[in-house]
Amino acid sequence: MISTVIIGNGNVAHHLDKAFLKAKTIDVIKINSRNLSNIPKADITIIAVSDNAIEEVSSKIENSFVVHTSGSFSMDNLQNKTRKGVFYMLQTFSRDKEIDFSKVPFCLEAETEKDYILLEKLAKSIGNKIYNITTEQRKTLHVAAVFVNNFTNHLYKIGADICDTNNVPFEILQPLIDETASKIKQLKPASAQTGPAVRNDTETIKNHLDLLSKEQQTIYKILTKSIQKSNKPE
Amino acid sequence: MISTVIIGNGNVAHHLDKAFLKAKTIDVIKINSRNLSNIPKADITIIAVSDNAIEEVSSKIENSFVVHTSGSFSMDNLQNKTRKGVFYMLQTFSRDKEIDFSKVPFCLEAETEKDYILLEKLAKSIGNKIYNITTEQRKTLHVAAVFVNNFTNHLYKIGADICDTNNVPFEILQPLIDETASKIKQLKPASAQTGPAVRNDTETIKNHLDLLSKEQQTIYKILTKSIQKSNKPE
């Protein structure tokens, strides 16, 4: 049995708590970060708060092993006095969307092998994709994740806006969205590129720009230019 | 039995020809657009060439029913003398990636109901997602598709570049990419947004910019700004 405390009230804390509650080998208590005066003892204390609060929260914890769940915060900057680690799940967590933890990559880091093995055991209780990732590697993954998740989702939003404006159901685009995500399991993204930018189809590009708002045009132009700079024509 | 001729040598012509060959109810002959002097007769003649060649190719066809496969070319601009239509598949076609036509949306347009029904029958022989879409709606879908497919794929490429530069395997990001695409089946993209931009986490944004090339920074800043303009904080 591994005893854990989760500190935090966001989406990561919420979904991790739910997963731990279901796991038979984990005891979990979830507490709010505003209530740190009396933290229960635990094998692993997990800080799942926003990055700018991790330092302060960690400085107030006397439990011996403290980890955080952030993609961009250095393990060494945890301010607890004893053992430190990272329990970063490379996935997008929204309150109202169930998480399938079997598909979540767990990026783990600890100062000692013994602590790493403990984190691995915890991760294996709810998932099965486990990676030993340094702070530097994790920061790389986090910024890459912003491109493939946050920015990609924003492009979906722009696509939905364009459809809404013109009374076309956005759902028609879902198979294309799925295929785009799935295609790069077989092809490198550079080889998977299609469309007017990589074909240098200036007429279509011009027609597209006419259909867009000023802000959409800015994004369209910059991404088109970037594709043309980096991809060879088909 | 529906007899078809496919004109073209690109990825769409290639995959459509393969699918038609497998279908028991379709006869298909595929010809190169440089060889239009002697086109066989057919119920449906399908022009699958680049947009800027459709006018010229269509002007040389004497078969009675001519359709094109373009997302952005108006049906009325076909230059054949008799019946016109559109057979647009809203999907990304790469030479080396198999297409599951059961998941491809067929966006059909014709001048008469009779011709529409014929196109529908053709589409149903290889697929099952059939939409009656006007030229204007199709142009909307096409520009939206550039955002959710071409531009999204380019963000994948940038993610892969960042990983390559820092010796982290890009594959770790695949579950996140899949979840990002799948999440919007349940949530609107605007509601699905997470990450430093929508949280206005300026410290993380600053750290991310330090890890990027100049061109990557430009794209990062513009998309971050656009997210912050359009999404409310979590």
Side-chain angles (χ1 to χ4, degrees):
Chain A
M1 205 70 170
I2 306 174
S3 62
T4 63
V5 167
I6 298 172
I7 301 168
N9 227 354
N11 296 332
V12 173
H14 170 76
H15 285 289
L16 196 58
D17 181 47
K18 273 179 68 176
F20 282 178
L21 284 170
K22 277 186 215 151
K24 293 207 174 75
T25 53
I26 307 175
D27 267 338
V28 60
I29 296 170
K30 182 168 161 305
I31 63 175
N32 196 299
S33 61
R34 284 179 210 107
N35 186 14
L36 297 176
S37 52
N38 197 3
I39 303 174
K41 292 284 161 215
D43 298 327
I44 309 175
T45 303
I46 301 169
I47 301 179
V49 301
S50 61
D51 284 12
N52 51 23
I54 296 176
E55 274 202 27
E56 199 196 333
V57 169
S58 62
S59 72
K60 294 181 180 162
I61 301 175
E62 291 179 2
N63 287 352
S64 67
F65 188 28
V66 176
V67 305
H68 70 72
T69 59
S70 162
S72 50
F73 193 90
S74 296
M75 177 174 71
D76 295 341
N77 289 346
L78 284 166
Q79 297 300 312
N80 62 309
K81 295 286 182 293
T82 49
R83 294 146 54 213
K84 303 172 183 184
V86 178
F87 194 83
Y88 172 54
M89 290 156 287
L90 183 45
Q91 193 47 281
T92 167
F93 293 85
S94 289
R95 181 72 57 156
D96 300 328
K97 175 73 170 66
E98 287 298 310
I99 294 286
D100 178 356
F101 278 90
S102 73
K103 289 180 185 160
V104 173
F106 289 83
C107 302
L108 309 180
E109 186 179 6
E111 294 166 311
T112 65
E113 199 185 340
K114 200 179 157 193
D115 280 347
Y116 180 82
I117 288 167
L118 181 59
L119 289 182
E120 193 180 45
K121 200 174 155 191
L122 182 68
K124 279 185 177 165
S125 310
I126 59 171
N128 54 42
K129 288 175 186 289
I130 323 278
Y131 298 91
N132 189 348
I133 296 287
T134 66
T135 285
E136 288 313 308
Q137 289 176 318
R138 181 163 39 84
K139 288 180 179 179
T140 294
L141 285 168
H142 192 250
V143 65
V146 167
F147 280 88
V148 305
N149 167 247
N150 303 159
F151 293 165
T152 288
N153 184 73
H154 190 57
L155 296 182
Y156 298 162
K157 184 195 173 286
I158 294 174
D161 287 347
I162 294 169
C163 286
D164 288 353
T165 306
N166 295 281
N167 290 312
V168 181
F170 179 61
E171 295 73 44
I172 303 184
L173 289 158
Q174 188 68 48
L176 178 63
I177 287 169
D178 291 335
E179 173 69 9
T180 307
S182 146
K183 200 176 187 180
I184 56 165
K185 291 171 195 169
Q186 284 180 46
L187 301 176
K188 277 176 184 292
S191 313
Q193 191 58 272
T194 59
V198 75
R199 279 201 312 270
N200 199 18
D201 181 347
T202 48
E203 183 70 18
T204 299
I205 291 169
K206 195 184 145 294
N207 291 337
H208 281 173
L209 289 171
D210 287 345
L211 295 168
L212 299 175
S213 74
K214 207 160 177 114
E215 190 187 339
Q216 290 163 351
Q217 283 178 351
T218 306
I219 293 170
Y220 188 106
K221 282 180 195 166
I222 279 181
L223 290 173
T224 293
K225 204 174 140 192
S226 180
I227 290 173
Q228 294 181 332
K229 235 175 112 174
S230 63
N231 290 73
K232 300 247 178 285
E234 286 173 295
Chain B
M1 207 70 171
I2 305 175
S3 62
T4 63
V5 166
I6 298 173
I7 300 168
N9 227 353
N11 296 332
V12 172
H14 170 76
H15 286 288
L16 196 57
D17 181 47
K18 272 178 70 175
F20 281 178
L21 284 171
K22 278 186 215 151
K24 294 208 175 72
T25 53
I26 308 175
D27 266 338
V28 59
I29 295 171
K30 182 168 162 306
I31 63 176
N32 195 300
S33 60
R34 283 178 210 109
N35 187 13
L36 297 176
S37 51
N38 197 2
I39 303 175
K41 292 283 161 216
D43 298 327
I44 308 175
T45 303
I46 301 169
I47 301 179
V49 301
S50 61
D51 284 12
N52 52 23
I54 296 175
E55 275 203 28
E56 199 197 333
V57 169
S58 62
S59 72
K60 296 182 181 164
I61 301 175
E62 291 179 0
N63 287 352
S64 68
F65 188 27
V66 176
V67 305
H68 70 71
T69 59
S70 162
S72 50
F73 193 91
S74 295
M75 178 173 71
D76 295 342
N77 289 346
L78 284 165
Q79 297 301 311
N80 62 308
K81 295 287 181 294
T82 49
R83 296 146 54 213
K84 303 173 185 185
V86 178
F87 193 82
Y88 171 55
M89 290 156 285
L90 182 46
Q91 191 49 278
T92 167
F93 293 85
S94 289
R95 180 72 56 154
D96 300 329
K97 174 74 170 66
E98 286 298 309
I99 293 288
D100 178 356
F101 278 89
S102 72
K103 290 180 183 158
V104 173
F106 290 83
C107 301
L108 308 180
E109 186 178 5
E111 294 168 311
T112 66
E113 199 186 338
K114 200 179 158 196
D115 281 345
Y116 180 83
I117 289 168
L118 180 59
L119 289 182
E120 192 178 46
K121 200 175 156 192
L122 182 67
K124 278 184 177 165
S125 311
I126 59 170
N128 54 42
K129 289 176 187 286
I130 322 278
Y131 298 91
N132 189 346
I133 296 287
T134 66
T135 285
E136 287 314 307
Q137 290 176 316
R138 181 163 40 82
K139 288 180 179 179
T140 293
L141 285 168
H142 192 251
V143 65
V146 167
F147 280 88
V148 305
N149 167 247
N150 303 159
F151 293 165
T152 288
N153 183 73
H154 190 57
L155 296 182
Y156 298 162
K157 184 194 173 286
I158 294 173
D161 287 347
I162 294 169
C163 287
D164 288 352
T165 306
N166 296 281
N167 290 312
V168 181
F170 179 61
E171 294 74 45
I172 303 184
L173 289 157
Q174 188 68 48
L176 177 64
I177 287 169
D178 290 337
E179 173 68 10
T180 307
S182 145
K183 201 176 187 180
I184 57 165
K185 291 171 194 168
Q186 284 181 47
L187 301 176
K188 276 176 185 292
S191 314
Q193 192 57 273
T194 58
V198 74
R199 279 201 311 270
N200 199 18
D201 182 346
T202 48
E203 183 70 17
T204 299
I205 291 168
K206 198 185 142 294
N207 292 337
H208 280 172
L209 290 171
D210 287 344
L211 294 169
L212 299 174
S213 73
K214 209 161 175 110
E215 190 186 339
Q216 291 164 351
Q217 283 179 351
T218 304
I219 293 170
Y220 188 104
K221 282 181 195 166
I222 278 181
L223 290 173
T224 292
K225 202 172 142 192
S226 180
I227 290 173
Q228 293 182 333
K229 234 175 113 175
S230 62
N231 290 74
K232 299 248 179 281
E234 285 173 294

